[in-house]
Amino acid sequence: MRRAIALAASPGVPLHPNPRVGCVLLAGDGTVVGEGFHHGAGTPHAEVEALAMAGDRARGATAVVTLEPCNHTGRTGPCAEALIAAGVDRVIAAQRDPNPQASGGLETLRAAGIETDAGLLADEAAELNRAWTFAHRHGRPFVTWKFATTLDGRSAASDGSSRWVSSLPARRDTHVLRGLCDTMLVGTTTVEVDDPHLTVRGEDDQPLGVQPLRVVMGKRELPAGRRVFDDAAETVHLRTRDPELALRTLYAEHDRHHVFLEGGPTLAAAFLKAGLVDEVITYIAPMLLGNGTSAVGPLGIGSIDDALRLEIVDTTVVGKGTEANVRLVLRPVQQED
């Protein structure tokens, strides 16, 4: 199973829209006769690739796979049926499939007389597809709120200027994190005031790889000339101020699993008050403003006892010298993993 997990995590495999999956086929004496991994949407699934490598040696083999074999026909056929046709004797899956459209593969295998087991290294397998798993379990995307702040919690100076609170190394680091998500989300005010491009760019400031969906949330009409409406990536305007409705729309209608929230303090407060922030990433710059825009709007908290408490998951210094920022990764203590 650890080999299957390593295969699933092979470099270059897209993080979305499909899960990363690895498979190893073992003969009766424990010899590896086939292995494979899913290379992305529209390509053969891990089980099919492993079966192709094994050929006739798949008959009587044990399939060890990181995710329950799919049970539906999409761009490719159901892996459960492929395993049955190949004549495998046993299937061991780490994680059960949380996607109701594809689950049920183990039941199909058992009905065909194939021995099945599930749960081996399930947590490690689920971590491979953290946002994908979360989205299918909760019916909405996983939300990462990212912001930059000074030591005294300001995201902009009193004159409104905010470029640049974070350093150049921190901004480049942000683009790496953007590339791990499938959706960039901001509010209409951010589009009006900052005119962000909301793309993933390399050190040469040119677009890099497959771009996330750009989403603007809010009812206000926006000028067509804003950069977020260019052809660098797809953009959707969700005409709502309801964070829960926005997330469920992104999941149900756009197949989105991981939102990177980069809006201003008002939008951030709306998501926080709704309990819809699952991870916080902040870049803290070694500067003081003493006044200006707070990093987050009012949360309706009047007492220290009611504070929204966060657990620090990771701390990293990004950059050196005067260009150094501290990147904190946190998660709300009350939130589900």
Side-chain angles (χ1 to χ4, degrees):
M1 187 62 79
R2 292 197 187 282
R3 172 59 181 164
I5 290 173
L7 287 167
S10 296
V13 177
L15 301 180
H16 51 81
N18 288 9
R20 293 180 291 175
V21 183
C23 179
V24 176
L25 289 174
L26 301 173
D29 61 358
T31 303
V32 174
V33 295
E35 59 181 32
F37 62 94
H38 186 43
H39 296 257
T43 65
H45 287 191
E47 299 94 324
V48 173
E49 189 171 81
L51 289 171
M53 178 179 175
D56 292 340
R57 294 177 296 172
R59 185 160 299 277
T62 293
V64 181
V65 62
T66 59
L67 182 67
E68 176 183 11
C70 67
N71 199 41
H72 81 304
T73 300
R75 296 187 188 181
T76 59
C79 292
E81 296 294 344
L83 291 165
I84 293 169
V88 301
D89 279 355
R90 186 183 183 197
V91 175
I92 302 173
Q95 180 188 4
R96 292 298 300 258
D97 196 328
N99 183 357
Q101 294 182 344
S103 61
L106 293 183
E107 285 76 14
T108 296
L109 292 165
R110 283 197 294 271
I114 295 174
E115 181 183 351
T116 65
D117 290 287
L120 179 63
L121 302 182
D123 290 343
E124 292 182 33
E127 187 61 26
L128 278 171
N129 302 294
R130 179 183 64 154
W132 179 88
T133 298
F134 180 97
H136 286 303
R137 285 178 177 170
H138 294 81
R140 67 164 179 88
F142 185 91
V143 176
T144 296
W145 171 39
K146 171 263 168 183
F147 67 99
T149 180
T150 61
L151 281 173
D152 51 349
R154 306 297 178 179
S155 61
S158 56
D159 65 356
S161 59
S162 61
R163 295 190 177 187
W164 297 100
V165 169
S166 58
S167 65
L168 177 60
R171 296 196 297 276
R172 287 176 173 169
D173 189 65
T174 295
H175 281 279
V176 174
L177 298 180
R178 284 181 174 183
L180 301 178
C181 303
D182 59 23
T183 308
M184 297 287 303
L185 177 61
V186 298
T188 51
T189 299
T190 294
V191 172
E192 281 192 334
V193 175
D194 295 338
D195 193 20
H197 205 193
L198 298 183
T199 55
V200 178
R201 301 186 296 278
E203 293 191 5
D204 59 357
D205 205 35
Q206 296 302 307
L208 190 66
V210 178
Q211 295 294 323
L213 176 70
R214 300 179 295 191
V215 177
V216 182
M217 179 179 158
K219 297 183 177 181
R220 189 181 316 166
E221 290 292 336
L222 293 166
R226 299 283 90 178
R227 294 198 301 164
V228 76
F229 296 120
D230 68 12
D231 59 2
E234 183 183 358
T235 299
V236 171
H237 186 175
L238 297 179
R239 298 179 185 275
T240 179
R241 296 190 182 97
D242 183 343
E244 183 172 5
L245 176 59
L247 293 180
R248 299 210 177 273
T249 300
L250 289 172
Y251 173 77
E253 299 182 14
H254 300 278
D255 195 25
R256 298 293 145 168
H257 305 139
H258 194 170
V259 166
F260 204 62
L261 181 64
E262 281 203 18
T266 300
L267 188 64
F271 274 79
L272 287 166
K273 287 191 290 186
L276 295 174
V277 172
D278 307 296
E279 178 180 66
V280 179
I281 298 179
T282 179
Y283 294 89
I284 302 175
M287 66 172 73
L288 298 168
L289 288 174
N291 207 344
T293 304
S294 173
V296 62
L299 296 175
I301 296 172
S303 169
I304 194 69
D305 294 333
D306 298 326
L308 174 59
R309 300 187 183 277
L310 305 171
E311 176 186 0
I312 297 175
V313 177
D314 182 68
T315 305
T316 305
V317 177
V318 180
K320 298 180 180 179
T322 57
E323 287 283 273
N325 282 186
V326 176
R327 184 189 68 200
L328 291 179
V329 181
L330 313 100
R331 60 184 176 193
V333 173
Q334 299 90 344
Q335 200 80 356
E336 290 183 3
D337 291 336

